[in-house]
Amino acid sequence: SEILEPAITGQVSDEMWRERVRQILVTQFPDSDADGAWQAWVSRHGVLIPEALDVVKETKSQVNIGMISNATSRLNCDLRHHGIFDLFDYVINTSEIRVAKPAAQVYLHALKAADLRPEEALFTDDKAVNVEAATNLGIVGHVFTSADGLRTALVEAGVLRD
């Protein structure tokens, strides 16, 4: 969206983006507790899927793990809040590289950070368009729908054992 894109491409900070959202809410919903809703939203750090986290940890015991996220400048804070910052060998935050998925540059940046060729990498995402962009570069792709599905994809790729 026109509001989110500047935040996930590093044109504005997370704080600036969230303040812009607050202004929009207060303007569009003057008779409601827009500030209260905004405060509740700002205090959240995202939600982890425990089963998916288990698969990531199992995978980490076999190979290096990276994260590519269309995120704001707050990503590292959120990862630390959940105690998973050190789980990843590298984190590609699109707000830091100033381009977002599904742009090819994002995946190429990740491959360089991981020192991998495309065929040596596996990329999973809950958005098919992002997975398609990765597979167009020769990266093995998986559309995330469940932790079990991710684990199956990792077994099929030879990363994990059944």
Side-chain angles (χ1 to χ4, degrees), residues 92-132:
I92 306 301
N93 180 342
T94 61
S95 72
E96 294 174 0
I97 64 170
R98 303 182 73 79
V99 63
K101 297 180 289 185
Q105 301 97 304
V106 175
Y107 308 98
L108 296 173
H109 187 92
L111 289 169
K112 184 175 181 180
D115 194 25
L116 294 173
R117 294 186 314 271
E119 64 275 10
E120 297 173 316
L122 185 142
F123 173 76
T124 186
D125 198 291
D126 60 346
K127 294 185 179 173
V129 66
N130 293 338
V131 174
E132 181 181 355

Side-chain angles (χ1 to χ4, degrees), residues 12-75:
V12 299
S13 69
D14 180 82
E15 295 82 10
M16 292 171 66
W17 168 63
R18 288 176 187 266
E19 177 56 25
R20 176 72 180 121
V21 170
R22 188 192 69 74
Q23 291 170 0
I24 291 168
L25 288 172
V26 169
T27 301
Q28 290 186 357
F29 304 99
D31 298 329
S32 63
D33 184 17
D35 271 326
W38 179 82
Q39 284 292 343
W41 172 63
V42 168
S43 68
R44 297 193 62 213
H45 289 273
V47 177
L48 299 179
I49 302 169
E51 299 83 6
L53 187 57
D54 290 344
V55 173
V56 170
K57 288 177 179 176
E58 180 184 5
T59 304
K60 172 71 176 168
S61 72
Q62 303 299 314
V63 296
N64 287 340
I65 299 287
M67 171 189 281
I68 302 172
S69 183
N70 279 354
T72 71
S73 57
R74 187 171 130 161
L75 176 62

